Amino acid sequence: MNQQISDKYQVAFQPYGITVEANCGENLLELARRAGVGITASCGGDGVCGTCKVKIIKGEVESPPSLQLCNDEISSGFRLACRCRVMSDLIVEVPPESRAPVSEGHLRSLVTSEETLAATNWRFSPPVFKLLVELPQPSLKDNSSDLTRIERELESHGIQNARLNIILLKKIAASLRGGNWRVTLTVLKEPGGLRLTDIEPGDTRSHMYGLAFDIGTTGVRGEVLDLTEGRVLAQGVEYNGQRSYGDDVISRIAYAGKPGGLETLQRAVVTTLNKLINEMTGRAGIDGSDIAHVTVAANTTMVHLLLGLDPKHLRLAPYVPTAADLPALPSGDIGLLVGAGVPLYVVPSVASYIGGDIVSGLVGTGIFQRQETVLYIDIGTNGETVVGNSEWMVSASCSAGPAFEGGGIRHGMLATSGAIETFKIGTRSGGPVVTAIGGEKPRGICGAGLISIVAGLFTAGVIDQRGKFQPEVSERVRPGTDGYEYLVVEAHETGTGKDIVLTEVDIDNLIRAKAAMYAGYQTLLASVDMTFEQLDKVVIAGTFGSHLDIEDAVTVGLLPDICRDRFVFVGNGSLLGARLCSFSTDLVEAGKLVAKLVTNIELSENASFMDNYIASMFLPHTDAALFPGVTRQAMPSNKGSR
């Protein structure tokens, strides 16, 4: 027995061609993570989502029974990686639907261009500026310290009592002498004064750049900015490296509570940011050392994980974050690949589940400047909503779950190459017509595709209000392991060589997600004595929202049935706000004011939210009067049509 415990095994992952040594009994999913093999694990490895499915080609694993696998899959060698322990040498195949894409080209919509709303009335005045100073050389008659010489010169520019830290202090002597007593100081504008953040030999005033990031639960998007001219020089996107530890913030908070979990999650997101920094600065033709300022917009949980702050109290009543409005922090403290003293500005949060990403969106779109009343919604795993104008704002959030990003769906996937995003039932054959991202063969269904399919099937009468299939309407409805399922794409037409289907469980997951969102809107509006018809605009933010078909979203009951002219897509509002805050101290201050202006209500503490949620658990809603524009024309039986 002792010999067996000390045994080492070789585990080969196909089709990656990666072989790694494993200890006897080592968890297969953790081993894959260690080896750099991308395996999707939406629930963070708790064995409840079924997305980490792998096929054991050769060898033995110890794996308990799982409800996520059907008998045919088990007999074919499929197992959940998170539930497998290595018991011999292995050959493991990771099927296409379980592979976590890692390349930038796979992620849909680098930075969306639908910025039809933007803040106005702001000055171009970045939070940092550069100042060239020339100092007299020391002599026996004047052997004042280097710092004293700098302070004297700053006083001649009207700058007194500028703050600095040890990072800059260590660079002073070499920079002064390397620049022959002619140096460039980088100065940060802070509340109550100025701070010196960098010193460089010579004149570097023409090289002042910034970084803006939107750190999402799923993806991280960034930009390199020219802070002297107000231009975007490069853009980039990567999957959040934390995604292997859970699809939603609750899963990640839980993982952070495990031994070493918080450090692992912080390291994962910092690694993602550094990869983006290297890629974007390379494309912009600059060096990471040229960066003078970093702005980050993210939800409250992502901020805590980025800074290594324990997030556990975010999910426990009364839901208190460690900090909501942070001072600028040295980027080197968290390991970003820029100068150690470069200031990192985090857009302030409102509450545990209304984060800086929403505040950034409100600032970027200029909603805080408008007299008209706007409903601002960010559709995704975490459904955040704000209603208001320049005088008042009220926010709420709900956990919609991962269905909008393909999670919890039999053949669900992120909005990457090969993901079905549109669906129509052909008028002649009655068979479906689908389009996939990138024009590739379909590999699965993303959130927008899920909504499109359910809307199409409901309109055609293939499913009823409860999301249940009507087998007599289409022969593509067939019995499956989870009840009835609809054959969306046949195996010979897919990129996986397997049928892509939609199950009643998938539809139920979507209904739950859209019900949470819609109930959130209703409850929020009721709290301020408003209805949808009283809204001047509905602003849809987020990269998911930028690919959403309004009619499909209204048909399933995700968006209200109001005049379509009131809907405005703004793309990535969070990144837009982060960029503009990098360009203007006016908007940095606006972010602080907006965070204080917003009043948050906790839907979990509101009894009417659950009533609204239950009423929304139908397509599109139990109250047909709320959706007068949604028509449903039952399709005649087309048995025999394909």
Side-chain angles (χ1 to χ4, degrees):
M1 179 64 70
N2 291 337
Q3 180 62 38
Q4 183 181 12
I5 292 176
S6 63
D7 281 345
K8 302 285 186 179
Y9 298 120
Q10 298 296 309
V11 178
F13 290 95
Q14 296 179 350
Y16 299 98
I18 294 176
T19 300
V20 63
E21 188 175 75
N23 294 316
C24 178
E26 188 168 356
N27 181 275
L28 187 58
L29 179 61
E30 292 295 337
L31 179 67
R33 289 169 173 165
R34 178 161 63 84
V37 174
I39 297 179
T40 303
S42 298
C43 66
D46 288 332
V48 297
C49 68
T51 58
C52 64
K53 191 184 304 180
V54 296
K55 186 175 183 179
I56 308 300
I57 303 297
K58 183 179 179 181
E60 296 182 7
V61 296
E62 185 179 273
S63 177
S66 172
L67 296 176
Q68 307 299 327
L69 298 171
C70 65
N71 290 334
D72 288 344
E73 288 175 321
I74 294 173
S75 62
S76 298
F78 283 95
R79 299 290 187 273
L80 297 184
C82 69
R83 286 294 179 260
C84 286
R85 299 200 173 277
V86 179
M87 304 305 292
S88 73
D89 291 339
L90 294 176
I91 297 177
V92 180
E93 179 185 351
V94 183
E97 60 268 26
S98 298
R99 297 172 196 163
V102 295
S103 70
E104 174 185 324
H106 281 151
L107 193 58
R108 176 63 181 228
S109 181
L110 176 67
V111 178
T112 55
S113 60
E114 296 88 347
E115 293 170 354
T116 54
L117 289 180
T120 58
N121 301 322
W122 54 273
R123 299 170 300 152
F124 180 76
S125 177
V128 292
F129 65 92
K130 287 192 171 185
L131 180 66
L132 178 67
V133 296
E134 296 188 44
L135 309 179
Q137 295 188 27
S139 65
L140 291 177
K141 291 184 178 180
D142 179 12
N143 61 355
S144 300
S145 72
D146 293 343
L147 180 58
T148 298
R149 294 175 185 280
I150 291 175
E151 289 173 337
R152 287 175 184 167
E153 184 62 24
L154 289 176
E155 286 179 2
S156 71
H157 290 271
I159 300 174
Q160 295 183 334
N161 302 317
R163 296 180 286 270
L164 73 159
N165 59 27
I166 189 67
I167 298 172
L168 181 133
L169 195 60
K170 289 180 177 180
K171 296 179 65 176
I172 287 178
S175 297
L176 287 175
R177 289 157 182 83
N180 195 26
W181 303 93
R182 188 169 182 261
V183 294
T184 302
L185 298 170
T186 302
V187 185
L188 172 69
K189 306 168 191 174
E190 288 187 314
L194 300 174
R195 177 181 294 277
L196 304 183
T197 60
D198 199 12
I199 182 170
E200 301 166 281
D203 186 356
T204 65
R205 288 175 296 175
S206 62
H207 299 83
M208 188 170 70
Y209 305 102
L211 295 169
F213 288 109
D214 164 44
I215 303 179
T217 308
T218 300
V220 179
R221 294 160 179 83
E223 294 178 340
V224 174
L225 309 171
D226 185 332
L227 298 182
T228 61
E229 298 183 6
R231 295 186 297 126
V232 178
L233 300 180
Q235 302 169 323
V237 63
E238 287 290 342
Y239 282 90
N240 189 328
Q242 298 173 349
R243 70 191 188 280
S244 296
Y245 307 97
D247 264 355
D248 54 41
V249 295
I250 300 300
S251 299
R252 295 193 196 163
I253 291 173
Y255 191 89
K258 298 179 180 180
L262 179 57
E263 293 78 9
T264 297
L265 292 172
Q266 182 186 34
R267 186 166 55 249
V269 70
V270 170
T271 298
T272 302
L273 292 174
N274 284 336
K275 184 177 181 181
L276 275 172
I277 291 171
N278 283 332
E279 292 174 352
M280 295 191 303
T281 54
R283 284 198 295 273
I286 66 172
D287 191 79
S289 61
D290 294 326
I291 300 299
H293 189 265
V294 180
T295 300
V296 166
N299 67 53
T300 313
T301 300
M302 292 302 103
V303 169
H304 277 62
L305 297 179
L306 173 68
L307 301 180
L309 305 176
D310 189 348
K312 68 180 180 182
H313 297 291
L314 298 178
R315 64 177 297 194
L316 302 173
Y319 317 110
V320 178
T322 297
D325 188 1
L326 293 155
L329 306 168
S331 295
D333 284 3
I334 62 170
L336 292 185
L337 295 180
V338 296
V342 171
L344 168 66
Y345 168 66
V346 179
V347 179
S349 302
V350 176
S352 289
Y353 295 110
I354 298 292
D357 51 346
I358 300 304
V359 171
S360 185
L362 295 172
V363 170
T365 55
I367 291 174
F368 73 100
Q369 299 171 325
R370 302 177 186 277
Q371 294 299 312
E372 57 191 1
T373 302
V374 176
L375 180 68
Y376 181 94
I377 60 177
D378 192 341
I379 300 173
T381 304
N382 310 302
E384 296 119 338
T385 310
V386 180
V387 62
N389 53 36
S390 61
E391 298 180 358
W392 60 273
M393 292 185 190
V394 181
S395 67
S397 67
C398 62
S399 179
F404 292 129
E405 306 205 40
I409 307 302
R410 168 77 71 83
H411 290 117
M413 61 183 292
L414 292 170
T416 61
S417 299
I420 295 171
E421 62 176 349
T422 68
F423 170 95
K424 300 292 181 185
I425 292 182
T427 54
R428 293 186 179 180
S429 67
V433 178
V434 304
T435 59
I437 295 173
E440 297 187 10
K441 285 189 172 182
R443 294 193 303 118
I445 305 167
C446 67
L450 176 65
I451 291 170
S452 184
I453 294 170
V454 172
L457 295 179
F458 176 70
T459 302
V462 180
I463 57 176
D464 62 16
Q465 262 198 304
R466 300 169 301 155
K468 304 302 180 184
F469 285 112
Q470 308 301 296
E472 69 280 1
V473 176
S474 172
E475 73 167 7
R476 298 182 80 91
V477 177
R478 65 190 191 188
T481 56
D482 294 324
Y484 283 115
E485 62 188 28
Y486 181 87
L487 178 59
V488 180
V489 185
E490 296 182 77
H492 68 277
E493 296 177 328
T494 71
T496 63
K498 300 177 182 178
D499 290 343
I500 295 176
V501 302
L502 184 77
T503 71
E504 287 187 345
V505 173
D506 298 338
I507 298 172
D508 186 58
N509 284 335
L510 173 64
I511 290 176
R512 291 176 185 275
K514 74 90 183 175
M517 293 294 301
Y518 192 85
Y521 317 150
Q522 278 189 309
T523 308
L524 178 62
L525 289 176
S527 72
V528 294
D529 295 322
M530 288 189 67
T531 66
F532 290 115
E533 290 297 334
Q534 293 173 289
L535 296 170
D536 295 304
K537 279 189 174 65
V538 176
V539 176
I540 302 171
T543 52
F544 174 86
S546 64
H547 305 297
L548 190 64
D549 183 277
I550 291 178
E551 293 302 330
D552 288 342
V554 172
T555 297
V556 301
L558 173 60
L559 293 179
D561 189 1
I562 59 177
C563 178
R564 306 303 188 254
D565 291 342
R566 298 186 196 176
F567 291 103
V568 180
F569 293 98
V570 296
N572 194 326
S574 176
L575 185 60
L576 170 62
R579 180 201 312 153
L580 296 185
C581 285
S582 300
F583 287 156
S584 176
T585 52
D586 291 347
L587 297 181
V588 171
E589 291 305 311
K592 298 178 183 296
L593 293 175
V594 167
K596 294 176 181 177
L597 177 64
V598 177
T599 300
N600 187 61
I601 64 170
E602 294 291 346
L603 294 180
S604 60
E605 308 296 327
N606 192 310
S608 63
F609 171 73
M610 186 54 65
D611 294 335
N612 290 331
Y613 174 72
I614 293 172
S616 301
M617 286 284 289
F618 291 84
L619 298 172
H621 196 275
T622 53
D623 186 356
L626 294 175
F627 291 85
V630 176
T631 59
R632 183 165 177 264
Q633 186 173 0
M635 203 173 173
S637 176
N638 59 357
K639 293 285 186 178
S641 68
R642 300 296 294 172

